[in-house]
Amino acid sequence: MSMVQTLANKFTLAADLSPVDRDRNYKGRIRQIFSTLSAHPGKSLLINLMGVVFWAPLFVLFLYILPYIIETNVLANYTFAGSLGIGYGASSPEYINKAIQELYIQRIIFSASYVLPCVMFASIGMAGVYNCMRNMFWEVECKIVKHFFVGIKRHWYKFLFVYTVLGAIATGFTVALLEIRMAYAIGVAPNAGWWVMIVLLGIIALIAVMYSIILIPMLVTYKYDQSWYKNFAICLKNAGIIVCISPLQIMLVSIFISAPLALCLIPSISIWIVIIIALYGIAFYVLITLAYSQFYSDNYIYYLYNRSLEDAKKQQAKEAKAYKAQQKAKQGKQNYKKKKK
């Protein structure tokens, strides 16, 4: 038995929450994403904007409030007029390095304090966004406001757990990156511990993103058990099995969908990334993960579940046939005994 078969046998099988007649062999999942957006442009925009409301604190804090704090609390206390050479002595390297260090310290404190809470707050809105986009993806009724808050009510705690883990990883990675950049900015060698932390958190972040793009859509598309924690545990296990079955493909997709977010670190284009996200970026990202997760669910979990039902029917038919044969043989023996008498 191959490793894939061994892993596939460990799936917890069940039908998802989609309509029974949903096309599970859709040709071209990317085409399906764009057809969903083009069929519901107004709804997609509104759902996206509702998601933006929950992500807004993160962007506002780091694009507007942090620069303002740096300008008023750090740079305002330093003067670099000495570099003009008009009646002033040149600013000493120690003076400049102290200003740079203060600037990075503010960024580090801000990141350590606010990244995680902002991501946790955003996770609540993402539960509603996923619930709405799932309905549109399945081509079932989607009353935006109603299904948005239904999604929050049913899934907020599951999304909060997942996004808290992702937010903690992002916080650690950001702090380590800023520490290294600060060291280079002031002309000293970074502590080796920060490099180790960057590498470890980078690997953990990649694995977490690979896991989440399969897991998060499953939280709104499957209901294995009435108990939320058992249902969450089963989704966690099934998503892990899928990642182990197709690690390379999922890794490439994870890097592809994470690249636009990494561009936010470039100041010159970050504002354009934010504008794109504010219009359709969140809805588009959600549809990508839904389509990709559903691809694996349809081709593994549903396929095996459907096959198990067919095997059960065949076994029942076989048992019924055997029972009928036994009854017929028994009846034949009784008839034979009557004739003999």
Side-chain angles (χ1 to χ4, degrees):
M1 185 180 290
S2 68
M3 187 186 72
V4 172
Q5 290 175 321
T6 303
L7 290 170
N9 289 334
K10 297 184 181 298
F11 278 121
T12 298
L13 303 178
D16 59 25
L17 300 173
S18 64
V20 178
D21 59 348
R22 178 173 69 85
D23 185 4
R24 297 178 184 273
N25 297 313
Y26 196 91
K27 303 300 180 183
R29 301 283 174 158
I30 295 176
R31 189 188 309 127
Q32 189 178 13
I33 294 169
F34 284 101
S35 65
T36 302
L37 287 174
S38 60
H40 309 282
K43 284 186 175 181
S44 298
L45 177 60
L46 183 55
I47 293 168
N48 194 86
L49 292 175
M50 293 175 77
V52 167
V53 170
F54 287 85
W55 282 105
L58 182 65
F59 289 104
V60 170
L61 282 169
F62 283 90
L63 292 180
Y64 298 101
I65 296 179
L66 177 58
Y68 175 77
I69 290 174
I70 289 174
E71 184 177 345
T72 56
N73 293 352
V74 180
L75 298 182
N77 297 326
Y78 291 88
T79 176
F80 304 98
S83 60
L84 297 175
I86 308 174
Y88 296 94
S91 301
S92 67
E94 293 79 7
Y95 184 83
I96 296 173
N97 284 348
K98 186 178 178 182
I100 293 172
Q101 199 167 12
E102 285 279 348
L103 186 148
Y104 274 99
I105 287 172
Q106 287 291 328
R107 289 178 177 172
I108 291 168
I109 293 172
F110 214 76
S111 299
S113 302
Y114 295 110
V115 169
L116 182 56
C118 287
V119 172
M120 291 172 67
F121 177 72
S123 70
I124 298 172
M126 291 305 290
V129 172
Y130 265 94
N131 197 60
C132 290
M133 298 308 295
R134 177 205 67 182
N135 286 8
M136 289 169 54
F137 189 73
W138 285 347
E139 298 181 349
V140 299
E141 181 185 38
C142 180
K143 295 181 179 179
I144 297 174
V145 176
K146 174 186 174 182
H147 287 102
F148 185 85
F149 287 102
V150 165
I152 291 176
K153 180 181 177 181
R154 291 178 180 174
H155 308 295
W156 70 269
Y157 40 86
K158 295 177 280 188
F159 275 70
L160 180 63
F161 179 84
V162 175
Y163 277 83
T164 298
V165 174
L166 295 174
I169 295 171
T171 300
F173 188 87
T174 302
V175 169
L177 182 62
L178 288 173
E179 287 282 356
I180 291 172
R181 290 184 62 182
M182 178 175 68
Y184 280 124
I186 61 177
V188 299
N191 189 304
W194 293 117
W195 278 115
V196 173
M197 189 173 177
I198 280 283
V199 173
L200 288 177
L201 286 176
I203 295 171
I204 294 171
L206 179 59
I207 295 171
V209 171
M210 290 171 61
Y211 216 108
S212 64
I213 66 173
I214 302 297
L215 171 65
I216 293 175
M218 292 180 71
L219 298 178
V220 298
T221 55
Y222 279 94
K223 188 173 183 180
Y224 291 101
D225 196 280
Q226 293 297 325
S227 302
W228 74 266
Y229 54 89
K230 290 183 180 178
N231 186 72
F232 183 84
I234 293 171
C235 288
L236 201 66
K237 182 191 75 172
N238 282 355
I241 294 171
I242 290 172
V243 171
C244 291
I245 289 175
S246 303
L248 182 60
Q249 295 93 322
I250 296 174
M251 182 180 69
L252 293 175
V253 172
S254 301
I255 294 171
F256 173 76
I257 66 176
S258 301
L261 298 178
L263 294 177
C264 289
L265 299 174
I266 304 174
S268 58
I269 62 174
S270 61
I271 187 64
W272 297 106
I273 301 296
V274 171
I275 291 172
I276 293 170
I277 291 174
L279 292 175
Y280 283 102
I282 295 175
F284 185 66
Y285 169 81
V286 169
L287 279 176
I288 290 175
T289 57
L290 274 169
Y292 196 61
S293 180
Q294 285 277 276
F295 169 78
Y296 284 104
S297 296
D298 292 340
N299 285 279
Y300 286 104
I301 298 175
Y302 179 77
Y303 170 76
L304 294 172
Y305 172 73
N306 199 40
R307 196 174 73 175
S308 68
L309 293 180
E310 292 176 357
D311 290 344
K313 288 180 182 178
K314 289 179 181 179
Q315 183 64 27
Q316 288 176 357
K318 187 177 179 180
E319 290 175 356
K321 187 177 180 180
Y323 177 77
K324 192 174 181 180
Q326 288 177 357
Q327 292 297 107
K328 190 175 181 180
K330 187 177 180 181
Q331 186 67 32
K333 286 181 181 180
Q334 290 176 350
N335 291 338
Y336 175 75
K337 287 180 181 179
K338 287 179 181 179
K339 287 181 181 180
K340 193 173 181 182
K341 288 181 180 179

